[in-house]
Amino acid sequence: MRFKKIYVEILNTCNLNCSFCIQNSRKPQQMTLDQFEHVLKQIHPYTKYIYLHILGEPLMHPQLKEFLALAHQYQFHVNLTTNGTLLEKQSDVLLQAKALRQINISIHAKLDDPNYLKEILKAGDKLSAQGIYVSYRLWQYRQGHLDRQVLSVVHQLNEHYHTSIIPSKQSFQLQPHCFVSFDEQFEWPSLSHPFVSFTGSCQGWRHMAGILCDGRVVPCCLDTKADINLGNIFEEDFSLILSRNESLLTEIRNHQFTKELCQKCSYRTRFDH
């Protein structure tokens, strides 16, 4: 089995409290450098792409530079998602990181701060000029519409990049290695949500897996509480976790969902078409 990507949560805390993000209900925690290296060794045969997030703001990790260096040592390509508030502070670390492939920036995190977008665009220009892919995320569609604040951000992007983008649910290139992505706001799955269906399509455990900062392995990047706990990578080999959960892979390939969280996940309906 190989995955297109594996999400490695290096910490579960954040410096913001965004309304669109699920709030962490676990004990605040972060991976150590030794734990991260252990994860890299374990997953090395199964993917070349790692994403340094599930929950948390990865740019807050005090050893981010060392983490990125280790990822390069083990020949991984790194993607990360950030709220953008620490891009300036961590710009030297990011620009020097040979493993860094892409940064997704949720630029809707602080729409009410006039200086926020200016600092992000400044950092984004530096990163994309170095060949790092930068994706500005505006996942703020609500029932097919964008509000005035978001449309104002689009106007600022067009002015900055001398473009004439008309928003729609897709990605647009602003300049080489730099894009803006639009999509609907999504609801994080929860066991408390209404039932969706027993069948459908999903990328989880077929093309992706997730590892929380405490080592628990989950089938997708939206299982933030390990409601589907497949094992702990700090307690047993990743290969054993994979082999023990082959039946889950078979079910998902057959478009069947026996796990309650999957049955109540509305995000996966995006893949049904």
Side-chain angles (χ1 to χ4, degrees), residues 218-238:
V218 294
C220 85
C221 61
L222 299 182
D223 188 1
T224 62
K225 301 176 184 177
D227 289 315
I228 308 173
N229 183 1
L230 303 178
N232 194 304
I233 201 169
F234 297 147
E235 297 172 1
E236 60 180 326
D237 287 348
F238 190 59

mmCIF file of all heavy atoms in Angstrom, residues 218-238:
data_model
loop_
_atom_site.group_PDB
_atom_site.id
_atom_site.type_symbol
_atom_site.label_atom_id
_atom_site.label_comp_id
_atom_site.label_asym_id
_atom_site.label_seq_id
_atom_site.Cartn_x
_atom_site.Cartn_y
_atom_site.Cartn_z
ATOM 1 N N VAL A 218 -4.955 7.697 12.039
ATOM 2 C CA VAL A 218 -6.351 7.854 11.627
ATOM 3 C C VAL A 218 -6.428 7.753 10.103
ATOM 4 O O VAL A 218 -5.431 7.955 9.410
ATOM 5 C CB VAL A 218 -6.929 9.192 12.125
ATOM 6 C CG1 VAL A 218 -7.011 9.206 13.645
ATOM 7 C CG2 VAL A 218 -6.087 10.380 11.635
ATOM 8 N N PRO A 219 -7.613 7.448 9.569
ATOM 9 C CA PRO A 219 -7.707 7.234 8.123
ATOM 10 C C PRO A 219 -7.751 8.498 7.290
ATOM 11 O O PRO A 219 -7.569 8.432 6.072
ATOM 12 C CB PRO A 219 -9.013 6.453 7.969
ATOM 13 C CG PRO A 219 -9.833 6.847 9.147
ATOM 14 C CD PRO A 219 -8.861 7.074 10.253
ATOM 15 N N CYS A 220 -7.987 9.656 7.904
ATOM 16 C CA CYS A 220 -8.050 10.882 7.102
ATOM 17 C C CYS A 220 -7.710 12.096 7.949
ATOM 18 O O CYS A 220 -7.667 12.032 9.179
ATOM 19 C CB CYS A 220 -9.417 11.038 6.448
ATOM 20 S SG CYS A 220 -10.660 11.824 7.479
ATOM 21 N N CYS A 221 -7.513 13.229 7.281
ATOM 22 C CA CYS A 221 -7.059 14.447 7.945
ATOM 23 C C CYS A 221 -8.166 15.152 8.714
ATOM 24 O O CYS A 221 -7.901 16.140 9.404
ATOM 25 C CB CYS A 221 -6.457 15.405 6.920
ATOM 26 S SG CYS A 221 -7.621 15.926 5.637
ATOM 27 N N LEU A 222 -9.406 14.661 8.622
ATOM 28 C CA LEU A 222 -10.513 15.301 9.329
ATOM 29 C C LEU A 222 -10.884 14.590 10.626
ATOM 30 O O LEU A 222 -11.740 15.062 11.366
ATOM 31 C CB LEU A 222 -11.749 15.375 8.417
ATOM 32 C CG LEU A 222 -11.580 16.183 7.128
ATOM 33 C CD1 LEU A 222 -12.892 16.225 6.352
ATOM 34 C CD2 LEU A 222 -11.092 17.603 7.407
ATOM 35 N N ASP A 223 -10.228 13.467 10.899
ATOM 36 C CA ASP A 223 -10.504 12.731 12.140
ATOM 37 C C ASP A 223 -9.611 13.276 13.242
ATOM 38 O O ASP A 223 -8.640 12.648 13.680
ATOM 39 C CB ASP A 223 -10.270 11.239 11.920
ATOM 40 C CG ASP A 223 -10.727 10.395 13.108
ATOM 41 O OD1 ASP A 223 -11.232 10.980 14.088
ATOM 42 O OD2 ASP A 223 -10.558 9.167 13.063
ATOM 43 N N THR A 224 -9.956 14.456 13.729
ATOM 44 C CA THR A 224 -9.089 15.180 14.657
ATOM 45 C C THR A 224 -9.079 14.601 16.066
ATOM 46 O O THR A 224 -8.180 14.906 16.845
ATOM 47 C CB THR A 224 -9.534 16.651 14.742
ATOM 48 O OG1 THR A 224 -10.877 16.710 15.265
ATOM 49 C CG2 THR A 224 -9.494 17.308 13.363
ATOM 50 N N LYS A 225 -10.075 13.789 16.409
ATOM 51 C CA LYS A 225 -10.164 13.220 17.762
ATOM 52 C C LYS A 225 -9.809 11.743 17.783
ATOM 53 O O LYS A 225 -9.947 11.095 18.821
ATOM 54 C CB LYS A 225 -11.585 13.406 18.315
ATOM 55 C CG LYS A 225 -12.038 14.859 18.390
ATOM 56 C CD LYS A 225 -13.483 14.944 18.847
ATOM 57 C CE LYS A 225 -13.987 16.379 18.837
ATOM 58 N NZ LYS A 225 -15.429 16.467 19.210
ATOM 59 N N ALA A 226 -9.369 11.214 16.643
ATOM 60 C CA ALA A 226 -9.095 9.781 16.520
ATOM 61 C C ALA A 226 -10.326 8.957 16.883
ATOM 62 O O ALA A 226 -10.250 7.968 17.613
ATOM 63 C CB ALA A 226 -7.889 9.364 17.352
ATOM 64 N N ASP A 227 -11.487 9.371 16.370
ATOM 65 C CA ASP A 227 -12.694 8.566 16.548
ATOM 66 C C ASP A 227 -12.526 7.214 15.867
ATOM 67 O O ASP A 227 -13.135 6.227 16.279
ATOM 68 C CB ASP A 227 -13.904 9.307 15.983
ATOM 69 C CG ASP A 227 -14.303 10.507 16.840
ATOM 70 O OD1 ASP A 227 -14.349 10.357 18.071
ATOM 71 O OD2 ASP A 227 -14.548 11.584 16.277
ATOM 72 N N ILE A 228 -11.712 7.191 14.801
ATOM 73 C CA ILE A 228 -11.354 5.931 14.148
ATOM 74 C C ILE A 228 -9.873 5.705 14.428
ATOM 75 O O ILE A 228 -9.003 6.045 13.629
ATOM 76 C CB ILE A 228 -11.643 5.965 12.639
ATOM 77 C CG1 ILE A 228 -13.080 6.401 12.374
ATOM 78 C CG2 ILE A 228 -11.379 4.595 12.013
ATOM 79 C CD1 ILE A 228 -13.397 6.618 10.908
ATOM 80 N N ASN A 229 -9.581 5.164 15.586
ATOM 81 C CA ASN A 229 -8.200 4.955 16.030
ATOM 82 C C ASN A 229 -7.694 3.627 15.484
ATOM 83 O O ASN A 229 -8.128 2.569 15.907
ATOM 84 C CB ASN A 229 -8.146 4.981 17.565
ATOM 85 C CG ASN A 229 -6.730 4.850 18.095
ATOM 86 O OD1 ASN A 229 -5.770 4.753 17.335
ATOM 87 N ND2 ASN A 229 -6.601 4.850 19.410
ATOM 88 N N LEU A 230 -6.757 3.682 14.545
ATOM 89 C CA LEU A 230 -6.275 2.479 13.873
ATOM 90 C C LEU A 230 -5.039 1.881 14.542
ATOM 91 O O LEU A 230 -4.576 0.813 14.144
ATOM 92 C CB LEU A 230 -5.966 2.801 12.409
ATOM 93 C CG LEU A 230 -7.130 3.379 11.596
ATOM 94 C CD1 LEU A 230 -6.689 3.696 10.180
ATOM 95 C CD2 LEU A 230 -8.316 2.428 11.589
ATOM 96 N N GLY A 231 -4.515 2.581 15.541
ATOM 97 C CA GLY A 231 -3.298 2.120 16.212
ATOM 98 C C GLY A 231 -2.415 3.294 16.544
ATOM 99 O O GLY A 231 -2.733 4.437 16.214
ATOM 100 N N ASN A 232 -1.299 3.037 17.207
ATOM 101 C CA ASN A 232 -0.393 4.111 17.598
ATOM 102 C C ASN A 232 1.006 3.820 17.052
ATOM 103 O O ASN A 232 1.609 2.793 17.372
ATOM 104 C CB ASN A 232 -0.346 4.264 19.122
ATOM 105 C CG ASN A 232 0.305 5.561 19.548
ATOM 106 O OD1 ASN A 232 1.446 5.856 19.175
ATOM 107 N ND2 ASN A 232 -0.399 6.352 20.330
ATOM 108 N N ILE A 233 1.517 4.730 16.249
ATOM 109 C CA ILE A 233 2.796 4.526 15.577
ATOM 110 C C ILE A 233 3.973 4.557 16.551
ATOM 111 O O ILE A 233 5.074 4.094 16.222
ATOM 112 C CB ILE A 233 2.975 5.576 14.454
ATOM 113 C CG1 ILE A 233 4.015 5.099 13.425
ATOM 114 C CG2 ILE A 233 3.329 6.945 15.035
ATOM 115 C CD1 ILE A 233 4.049 5.942 12.173
ATOM 116 N N PHE A 234 3.758 5.078 17.765
ATOM 117 C CA PHE A 234 4.805 5.067 18.781
ATOM 118 C C PHE A 234 4.814 3.755 19.579
ATOM 119 O O PHE A 234 5.708 3.526 20.386
ATOM 120 C CB PHE A 234 4.636 6.243 19.741
ATOM 121 C CG PHE A 234 4.767 7.595 19.078
ATOM 122 C CD1 PHE A 234 4.021 8.680 19.530
ATOM 123 C CD2 PHE A 234 5.627 7.791 18.013
ATOM 124 C CE1 PHE A 234 4.132 9.927 18.929
ATOM 125 C CE2 PHE A 234 5.746 9.032 17.407
ATOM 126 C CZ PHE A 234 4.993 10.101 17.858
ATOM 127 N N GLU A 235 3.811 2.930 19.336
ATOM 128 C CA GLU A 235 3.689 1.684 20.086
ATOM 129 C C GLU A 235 3.853 0.441 19.218
ATOM 130 O O GLU A 235 4.147 -0.644 19.738
ATOM 131 C CB GLU A 235 2.326 1.636 20.791
ATOM 132 C CG GLU A 235 2.159 2.758 21.822
ATOM 133 C CD GLU A 235 0.752 2.835 22.371
ATOM 134 O OE1 GLU A 235 -0.097 1.999 21.958
ATOM 135 O OE2 GLU A 235 0.475 3.723 23.198
ATOM 136 N N GLU A 236 3.650 0.568 17.920
ATOM 137 C CA GLU A 236 3.816 -0.559 17.007
ATOM 138 C C GLU A 236 4.193 -0.054 15.625
ATOM 139 O O GLU A 236 3.988 1.122 15.302
ATOM 140 C CB GLU A 236 2.539 -1.392 16.933
ATOM 141 C CG GLU A 236 1.319 -0.635 16.445
ATOM 142 C CD GLU A 236 0.078 -1.506 16.389
ATOM 143 O OE1 GLU A 236 0.207 -2.702 16.085
ATOM 144 O OE2 GLU A 236 -1.029 -0.971 16.650
ATOM 145 N N ASP A 237 4.725 -0.923 14.802
ATOM 146 C CA ASP A 237 5.161 -0.545 13.466
ATOM 147 C C ASP A 237 3.971 -0.119 12.610
ATOM 148 O O ASP A 237 2.884 -0.706 12.693
ATOM 149 C CB ASP A 237 5.871 -1.708 12.778
ATOM 150 C CG ASP A 237 7.261 -1.959 13.358
ATOM 151 O OD1 ASP A 237 7.749 -1.108 14.122
ATOM 152 O OD2 ASP A 237 7.848 -3.021 13.052
ATOM 153 N N PHE A 238 4.222 0.871 11.772
ATOM 154 C CA PHE A 238 3.188 1.350 10.861
ATOM 155 C C PHE A 238 2.725 0.226 9.932
ATOM 156 O O PHE A 238 1.542 0.133 9.590
ATOM 157 C CB PHE A 238 3.728 2.533 10.052
ATOM 158 C CG PHE A 238 2.695 3.259 9.244
ATOM 159 C CD1 PHE A 238 1.591 3.843 9.840
ATOM 160 C CD2 PHE A 238 2.830 3.373 7.869
ATOM 161 C CE1 PHE A 238 0.639 4.522 9.085
ATOM 162 C CE2 PHE A 238 1.902 4.049 7.104
ATOM 163 C CZ PHE A 238 0.800 4.624 7.715
#
